[in-house]
Amino acid sequence: MAVNKTETRPPDRGLLLVTLALVVIGVLLVFDSSFPVAGDKAIGDAWYFVKRQIAYAIVGVSMLFAAMKCSPKFFRKLTWFMVAAAVVSLVLVLMFGHSIGGASRSFNLKFIHVQPSEFAKIAVIMLLAHMLQRIGVKVRKVVYIIVPIALVGVISLLVLMEPDLGTASTIVFISAAMFYAAGAKKRHLLVFGAFGFLAAGLVTCIEAYKLERIYIWYNPWADPIDSGYQIIHALTALGTGGFLGSGLCEGIEKSYIPAPQTDMIGATLGEEAGFIGMLILLALFVVFVYRGLSIADRAKSRYAGLLTVGVTTMVGAQAFINIGVLCKLLPMTGVPLPFISYGGSHMIAMLFAVGMVLSVSRHIDDRLGEKDSSADESSGYRRRDGGAHLSRISYSECSVGNRRGYPVRR
């Protein structure tokens, strides 16, 4: 039985403020890290990168507020269009894309390099939220999750062919989190994850440069003037920064790191603001993830909850991967730091995705026309408080958890 649309609420202010704070920090860091490079003879304009980042931020924030004003139903209607556009653009970029360093990942439109893989991540999130809501409790049966897994596999494979292992890994991580939140059995996810791991290992063995990345990750000082050059200078920047940092705009390693305003932008923050600065940045991402998961937990619509889980996981996973690479916890990948790294496609796609989450927070009591869950109560499809079932680790012996009616994951 469909439920009438409820009144909208104000957007989640915590999530909105944290997002805007990260965008502002990103603009400042792009200028700080890029002005030595932008001011040289090749470019001749110290404001070159920051002017573009400000333009990207303005477009992205506009997209955020536009998406926030829409109903989550609108995004659901866009699902198959987004998926089709993602697949077509990923195929076209392989054929006609702008090649940089042997990788064809973007279309060069002069003012902006459009990177389809950034929008493909959003398409995957919308696709899985739509399909997993339709599947419902049948997600625990492997036959019902083969099709969505296959669709995600096709998109991931196209991204991997660019090649872009970092983005492909992010898509897989987002998908696993959404399947888990939807209630899929852990053993099914582990089996499919094992296949994905074997496929990634095969690709790594076939392409020699990926094996070299793993070796350099283990010992970057084996090739300090070529393959290990970037990570060595990033680690030097973090070590130089110490606890309090060397002072804003006083860092020197940004003059040596290639394209310091992109994936390694955190090195400038670590050198100039020190451990305290990095801790504040991490705290902002933790707050973002907490607010996002809180919205997902309270959403009455299963679709809206899964959509929010996907976006929150995307931001959290990319932040973890980027900072992990910076600290040499993970092998080198081309994953940007959300809202911080220089890039138009990245900034616009991320802010649009956050706008979808803020839309969910405004319609948090709206079931979006989904059927009444009373028939599924005995199956644990929904909590007794009416919220969307998003699987979590809970304890059957915990009286507090039982009073709230949390389903026990088995």
Side-chain angles (χ1 to χ4, degrees):
M1 181 176 66
V3 179
N4 293 331
K5 183 179 178 180
T6 58
E7 294 183 1
T8 59
R9 296 185 177 191
D12 188 283
R13 292 186 180 88
L15 185 70
L16 178 60
L17 291 175
V18 166
T19 301
L20 294 178
L22 286 168
V23 171
V24 171
I25 292 171
V27 169
L28 295 175
L29 272 180
V30 165
F31 172 71
D32 188 356
S33 59
S34 68
F35 76 84
V37 177
D40 65 14
K41 293 181 180 179
I43 299 177
D45 181 5
W47 297 84
Y48 178 86
F49 292 105
V50 73
K51 285 189 294 187
R52 282 158 176 74
Q53 188 75 347
I54 290 172
Y56 302 150
I58 291 173
V59 174
V61 170
S62 300
M63 295 286 286
L64 180 151
F65 281 103
M68 183 179 73
K69 294 295 183 181
C70 297
S71 166
K73 285 183 180 179
F74 173 74
F75 306 123
R76 189 163 196 171
K77 292 177 181 178
L78 285 179
T79 298
W80 292 109
F81 169 78
M82 288 290 291
V83 172
V87 172
V88 170
S89 61
L90 287 172
V91 171
L92 290 177
V93 82
L94 290 174
M95 299 169 62
F96 309 108
H98 180 64
S99 181
I100 300 177
S104 181
R105 302 177 183 176
S106 63
F107 298 107
N108 186 1
L109 303 182
K110 294 188 181 293
F111 182 77
I112 183 174
H113 285 245
V114 178
Q115 194 167 340
S117 60
E118 292 293 336
F119 299 97
K121 289 181 290 189
I122 298 177
V124 167
I125 292 170
M126 296 171 71
L127 172 68
L128 289 181
H130 173 73
M131 296 192 74
L132 293 176
Q133 188 279 321
R134 295 289 297 273
I135 292 171
V137 293
K138 294 176 182 177
V139 74
R140 295 180 66 79
K141 298 181 179 179
V142 68
V143 68
Y144 290 99
I145 63 175
I146 290 177
V147 172
I149 286 177
L151 290 173
V152 172
V154 169
I155 294 175
S156 301
L157 180 61
L158 289 172
V159 173
L160 193 60
M161 289 171 64
E162 294 182 355
D164 190 349
L165 182 59
T167 301
S169 301
T170 303
I171 290 174
V172 172
F173 192 88
I174 293 168
S175 303
M178 293 183 70
F179 275 106
Y180 181 79
K185 290 184 177 180
K186 286 184 284 188
R187 63 174 177 267
H188 294 161
L189 296 179
L190 288 173
V191 170
F192 284 110
F195 280 112
F197 180 80
L198 289 174
L202 181 62
V203 171
T204 300
C205 292
I206 291 174
E207 299 184 7
Y209 81 94
K210 287 187 171 66
L211 279 174
E212 182 184 7
R213 280 190 179 184
I214 294 176
Y215 176 69
I216 290 300
W217 168 56
Y218 174 73
N219 183 19
W221 289 271
D223 190 4
I225 61 173
D226 189 8
S227 302
Y229 181 85
Q230 189 174 33
I231 189 61
I232 288 174
H233 281 281
L235 292 173
T236 302
L238 295 179
T240 303
F243 191 74
L244 296 175
S246 59
L248 298 181
C249 298
E250 297 295 327
I252 60 174
E253 289 300 325
K254 59 194 173 190
S255 299
Y256 299 98
I257 297 175
Q261 72 278 6
T262 55
D263 302 338
M264 284 292 175
I265 194 169
T268 298
L269 179 66
E271 182 178 11
E272 298 182 358
F275 175 76
I276 293 297
M278 293 297 294
L279 196 62
I280 292 172
L281 182 67
L282 285 172
L284 289 173
F285 281 115
V286 169
V287 172
F288 182 99
V289 171
Y290 172 77
R291 295 306 308 167
L293 294 181
S294 175
I295 293 168
D297 183 62
R298 292 181 286 118
K300 296 296 178 65
S301 162
R302 180 177 171 85
Y303 167 79
L306 288 168
L307 188 74
T308 303
V309 167
V311 174
T312 304
T313 302
M314 176 177 67
V315 174
Q318 287 197 199
F320 172 78
I321 293 173
N322 181 277
I323 296 174
V325 169
L326 181 66
C327 299
K328 199 178 164 289
L329 297 175
L330 297 172
M332 186 72 68
T333 58
V335 175
L337 188 59
F339 315 112
I340 305 292
S341 295
Y342 173 79
S345 296
H346 160 73
M347 178 71 78
I348 294 169
M350 280 287 177
L351 289 174
F352 175 76
V354 175
M356 293 196 297
V357 175
L358 292 171
S359 170
V360 171
S361 72
R362 295 181 69 241
H363 299 82
I364 205 159
D365 296 320
D366 193 348
R367 294 191 188 278
L368 306 181
E370 295 174 13
K371 70 174 184 176
D372 192 345
S373 62
S374 58
D376 295 312
E377 288 287 349
S378 60
S379 302
Y381 177 68
R382 283 190 173 272
R383 302 196 307 270
R384 287 191 289 273
D385 63 5
H389 166 67
L390 296 175
S391 299
R392 72 204 68 198
I393 300 174
S394 56
Y395 301 91
S396 58
E397 302 299 327
C398 177
S399 59
V400 176
N402 290 335
R403 283 200 300 271
R404 291 186 64 185
Y406 287 165
V408 177
R409 185 178 181 88
R410 300 187 186 280

